[in-house]
Amino acid sequence: MADDPYSVSILAHAALRVPVEEIMSYKDIVVYLDASDLNEARLETAIELAEQHAARLIGVDISTTAALEGERRERARSLQGAFEERLAQTRLEAECRSAGPAASTAQELFAHCADLIVSSQPHIDSAHLAAAAVPKDVLLDAGVPMLVLPTEWEAGRPIGRSILVAWNFSRESTRALHDAMPMLTRAERVTLFVFGSGLDSHNPDVLDVAAHLKRHGVEATIDGWRGAGQMDAVDAMFASLEREEADLIVAGAYGKSPLWEYLFGGTSEQLLNNVSMPLVMSH
């Protein structure tokens, strides 16, 4: 293995088994609905998550005036009916709400009374169809974790089987880890990827995090970046993603951090444009 990343497995005498009734779950999941081509895969993913957690699913129509009056108007006006028709095929508790074309705050977008929000990266061709506050402003203001799906996401793809947690001892990464715990406890594999210059595989603070996860029934593998050599932090993380065949990243949302700016294109206007796999983010 290269000198830059380090990797060590947390050894356990036996897997810690947690009774099903004690596994943490999301109880209310919000999925944003719009007239874009991203809507169907987003809704199907939200349904899958709601079924896993026996959660109530709240569909929120975030159509703009441009969507309601433009060439996608029929699709925009039928979002609630389509949502209700699809949810009638499930056993989920569900409801649909309309945020209104002028909605711009987390409150107006029904973001506060949820355990998880499901959204998508904005696509350049369809961003005008959905409230501009989604996902960036809602993520930074609501205090609720958000699952952000790539624009190329397809319904039915596995999500949450192998999860990489980006960790740097910050408030944001701590919040993200705890907000994602219902997913982490169901994952087949969890990697704690540590960003920190000079860290080694026996760092007691890192081992404390792994031990905390283990008490939740999560057996984590530690990987990370030492800040030495030619490989930078983000390259090291994506190398780890490939090694662990991860299908989901859990990370804190930092308004202007180098990692945030690298992942999301360098400026707030290009937020989420460069991410290639699902993200659960918290701020």
Side-chain angles (χ1 to χ4, degrees):
M1 186 174 296
D3 291 334
D4 297 307
Y6 64 81
S7 182
V8 62
S9 295
I10 298 300
L11 301 178
H13 296 294
L16 178 61
R17 297 186 180 276
V18 178
V20 173
E21 62 272 15
E22 294 183 15
I23 294 178
M24 300 174 69
S25 294
Y26 299 121
K27 300 302 182 184
D28 287 295
I29 297 176
V30 163
V31 57
Y32 286 131
L33 308 174
D34 60 40
S36 75
D37 294 335
L38 311 178
N39 192 70
E40 182 178 355
R42 185 190 317 130
L43 176 57
E44 291 302 319
T45 299
I47 289 173
E48 180 180 352
L49 288 169
E51 289 176 336
Q52 289 175 8
H53 295 270
R56 179 177 67 143
L57 185 60
I58 305 165
V60 177
D61 181 351
I62 59 171
S63 296
T64 60
T65 299
L68 293 169
E69 297 179 353
E71 60 182 16
R72 293 278 180 131
R73 59 185 177 276
E74 294 305 319
R75 187 168 183 173
R77 292 170 182 172
S78 65
L79 284 173
Q80 179 171 344
F83 175 85
E84 292 174 347
E85 181 179 354
R86 176 64 183 91
L87 269 294
Q89 301 170 21
T90 74
R91 296 185 178 182
L92 292 172
E93 179 184 355
E95 65 174 288
C96 193
R97 301 177 179 181
S98 176
S104 61
T105 67
Q107 180 178 355
E108 292 169 337
L109 291 158
F110 302 101
H112 291 302
C113 294
D115 301 309
L116 180 70
I117 298 169
V118 181
S119 181
S120 299
Q121 298 173 22
H123 191 283
I124 189 171
D125 295 332
S126 58
H128 65 289
L129 301 175
V134 178
K136 179 186 176 183
D137 292 345
V138 172
L139 173 60
L140 296 180
D141 296 339
V144 176
M146 179 180 286
L147 169 62
V148 185
L149 300 173
T151 56
E152 301 301 322
W153 185 251
E154 298 176 355
R157 291 177 61 182
I159 185 170
R161 293 181 183 175
S162 180
I163 303 176
L164 183 142
V165 180
W167 180 262
N168 67 353
F169 296 98
S170 67
R171 172 198 176 278
E172 289 83 359
S173 63
T174 301
R175 176 68 181 270
L177 181 145
H178 287 92
D179 284 345
M181 198 67 76
M183 291 186 178
L184 297 175
T185 56
R186 288 167 169 78
E188 297 173 5
R189 180 185 303 165
V190 173
T191 301
L192 185 69
F193 189 91
V194 184
F195 293 86
S197 178
L199 288 174
D200 61 55
S201 59
H202 301 291
N203 182 283
D205 294 330
V206 175
L207 295 178
D208 276 348
V209 180
H212 176 66
L213 285 169
K214 184 177 177 181
R215 283 188 285 274
H216 280 278
V218 179
E219 293 286 343
T221 296
I222 298 175
D223 200 355
W225 175 75
R226 284 181 174 155
Q230 296 181 348
M231 181 175 288
D232 64 25
V234 175
D235 287 341
M237 184 181 75
F238 279 96
S240 182
L241 287 170
E242 293 181 3
R243 285 196 302 273
E244 303 300 335
E245 298 181 342
D247 57 35
L248 179 66
I249 299 171
V250 171
Y254 311 91
K256 294 182 180 179
S257 76
L259 174 59
W260 174 270
E261 293 299 331
Y262 183 98
L263 287 175
F264 301 132
T267 67
S268 59
E269 289 78 15
Q270 294 174 315
L271 180 71
L272 304 175
N273 286 345
N274 293 338
V275 180
S276 59
M277 75 167 55
L279 290 161
V280 170
M281 304 199 79
S282 295
H283 178 71

